[in-house]
Amino acid sequence: MRALASVGLGVLLLMPALLVAGAPEDALRQTVDQLLVVLKDPRLKEEGNQVERRRKLKELIYQRFDFMEMARRSLGPEWGRRSPEEQKDFVRLFTNLLETTYLDQIESYSGQKVRYLKGRVHANYAEVDTKVVDNKGQEFSFNYRLHNRDGDWKVYDVIIEQISLVNNYRAQFNRVLARSSFKDLLESMKQK
């Protein structure tokens, strides 16, 4: 599941950098193309250019990914019980956790294809359904949830083979909080 989630988050993190409230599926396609340019660049594949390559990947990721909204939803009701400073710390650690967990997976891209199926827009929310096809022809479904924030589509969740990334993290965080404190949760996240 972790490898599948890694591919899914890799695609999730490829959301658009240059689109203002257009069709979400067009935005996804545009950013995937931008990310593939970085991933396929032979100069950036050279060992001495890893820092520049990661910087470019992060730039695309951070422009489209709504880490605060994803963190808020992942923490669930506990979010409202936290001070603004605690919320800020949680968002920072959550963002670092995602980056640490999945950036290597994004860089391991090896020719997978993305098929864009359909997109639905409901007021300020949208869903974009895709299939990722690996080199063996195996297909995996990824459904992206976005919201329009200040005229820009931002990703706040991805459903990988019918499993929500946000709900998965919420369940993990709830287990930690059920047996220990919020401070312990933050410490655990720092260690990862």
Side-chain angles (χ1 to χ4, degrees), residues 12 21 47 57 94 100 181:
L12 166 71
E47 192 168 322
L57 292 172
F94 183 78
T100 300
S181 68

Side-chain angles (χ1 to χ4, degrees), residues 83-192:
S83 70
E85 188 61 35
E86 288 173 319
Q87 290 174 351
K88 183 178 175 183
D89 286 345
F90 182 79
V91 171
R92 180 181 51 79
L93 291 170
F94 183 78
T95 302
N96 289 343
L97 176 65
L98 289 177
E99 182 180 309
T100 300
T101 304
Y102 297 107
L103 198 53
D104 286 338
Q105 295 298 319
I106 294 168
E107 288 186 305
S108 69
Y109 170 80
S110 62
Q112 296 88 346
K113 305 288 185 228
V114 179
R115 288 187 335 155
Y116 302 89
L117 304 177
K118 61 182 175 177
R120 296 169 300 286
V121 178
H122 310 282
N124 286 327
Y125 293 90
E127 289 188 37
V128 176
D129 298 341
T130 68
K131 295 271 187 193
V132 173
V133 184
D134 70 13
N135 295 334
K136 296 176 184 175
Q138 200 171 12
E139 292 185 347
F140 303 96
S141 66
F142 296 93
N143 304 329
Y144 299 94
R145 292 184 177 165
L146 305 90
H147 63 147
N148 188 330
R149 174 168 259 157
D150 301 324
D152 199 8
W153 289 110
K154 300 282 186 177
V155 174
Y156 67 87
D157 195 10
V158 61
I159 314 310
I160 305 163
E161 290 292 311
Q162 300 181 1
I163 298 172
S164 163
L165 199 60
V166 164
N167 290 344
N168 191 25
Y169 274 111
R170 185 182 307 138
Q172 291 177 47
F173 296 151
N174 284 341
R175 282 192 296 274
V176 172
L177 291 169
R179 65 178 190 269
S180 59
S181 68
F182 183 75
K183 183 179 178 183
D184 291 337
L185 173 62
L186 294 181
E187 282 302 316
S188 171
M189 292 171 72
K190 284 178 189 175
Q191 292 173 10
K192 291 182 181 181

